[in-house]
DNA sequence: CTGAATCCTTGTTGATACTG
DNA sequence: CAGTATCAACAAGGATTCAG
């Protein structure tokens, strides 16, 4: 199964139909790895939120980055964007079932980090110590 | 549990000990989201490989990016680096159990993409169609 | 209120060349 | 063989300003 995973990811000698899958995998993984997407998903997982509310909950995000993060999520159907024709305008973002299921998948990785953070920190100390103290 | 996840990720009003966890989560997620790490992990999941072998298997990676990808993985204890004192030099990289377990966690996300790629593509078409065809 | 447009700074990537 | 050093190109992120 791991070989099957690799066959989906590797780019040398890919079959043409596979090329689109590997691109999509990279696209989504890159999304998950970016600075704000996971925070947006987890924030929306609690409850639907309007733009400003999101902006307030996610500390440090700029308006620009927030809308840049939301657009591809909306495009992929991970979140819905509902604009109410009022003045002042009101736009509510909510997580779709699809987005929720991605959040669940990502949770595995997040939990992995939490479960292994001590071990990782210890490894880093050992590595850095060996580098500076080569005795 | 989802609220717990969010409490680990969000940066506003964090407890001091949490700050290091959220940084680590971002660090690892960023790693997973970069261009080469997942490919390296999946390649090494099959068998230990030397530098050149990795370089050949992962199409498109430069020597520079490969060593830049390998160093943090080694530092965190996800892969081992064994240098044999020979001429010519030989260095073998292998996945540790820790690295293997991260690969398993990431597999959930990869499988999620595979399972939902059609739905995502359909959503994108709809989104793009609505943008260009506002009738 | 909800963004889009602009500018600017920084970080990331890749090509190339060089070393133990 | 297994990298490091250097440089140029580019993308990402943030601050600010403007608009519907």
């Amino acid at each position: 199964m791991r070989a099957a995973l690799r066959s989906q990811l590797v780019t040398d000698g890919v079959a043409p139909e596979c090329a689109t899958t590997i691109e999509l995998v990279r696209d989504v993984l890159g999304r998950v790895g970016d600075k704000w997407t996971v925070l947006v998903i987890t924030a929306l997982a609690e409850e639907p939120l309007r733009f400003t509310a999101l902006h307030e909950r996610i500390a440090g995000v700029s308006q620009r980055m927030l809308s840049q993060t939301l657009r591809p999520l909306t495009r992929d159907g991970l979140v819905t964007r509902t604009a109410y024709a009022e003045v002042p305008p009101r736009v509510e973002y909510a997580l779709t079932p699809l987005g929720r299921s991605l959040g669940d998948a990502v949770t595995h990785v997040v939990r992995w980090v939490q479960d292994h953070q001590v071990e990782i920190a210890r490894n880093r100390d050992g590595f850095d110590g060996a580098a500076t103290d080569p005795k």
Side-chain angles (χ1 to χ4, degrees), chain A:
Chain A
M1 177 214 99
R2 212 179 304 264
L5 166 57
R6 180 176 148 73
S7 77
Q8 300 279 9
L9 280 172
V10 136
T11 0
D12 54 351
V14 289
E17 354 71 88
C18 258
T20 187
T21 294
I22 184 261
E23 280 170 20
L24 194 63
V25 170
R26 276 233 255 229
D27 185 58
V28 174
L29 284 181
R31 199 92 56 81
V32 166
D34 79 11
K35 214 171 172 184
W36 306 113
T37 295
V38 173
L39 291 175
V40 167
I41 291 180
T42 53
L44 290 179
E46 297 183 58
E47 55 180 339
L49 291 169
R50 7 193 334 192
F51 188 85
T52 304
L54 266 174
H55 187 226
E56 285 165 357
R57 296 209 182 198
I58 302 177
V61 73
S62 60
Q63 288 184 329
R64 181 178 178 273
M65 291 316 298
L66 184 54
S67 59
Q68 274 190 17
T69 304
L70 284 167
R71 195 174 333 110
L73 292 177
T74 308
R75 183 169 112 101
D76 287 357
L78 271 43
V79 312
T80 58
R81 176 190 187 277
T82 14
Y84 298 91
E86 307 170 356
V87 278
R90 182 163 63 97
V91 179
E92 207 166 64
Y93 291 93
L95 210 59
T96 65
L98 189 64
R100 201 168 287 274
S101 72
L102 174 59
D104 291 340
V106 172
T107 297
H108 285 292
V109 183
V110 175
R111 295 188 76 75
W112 182 91
V113 178
Q114 294 172 346
D115 291 346
H116 298 280
Q117 53 176 313
V118 174
E119 190 172 356
I120 291 174
R122 190 155 30 81
N123 289 334
R124 287 186 181 181
D125 287 350
F127 186 92
D128 297 349
T132 53
D133 170 33
K135 181 199 54 165

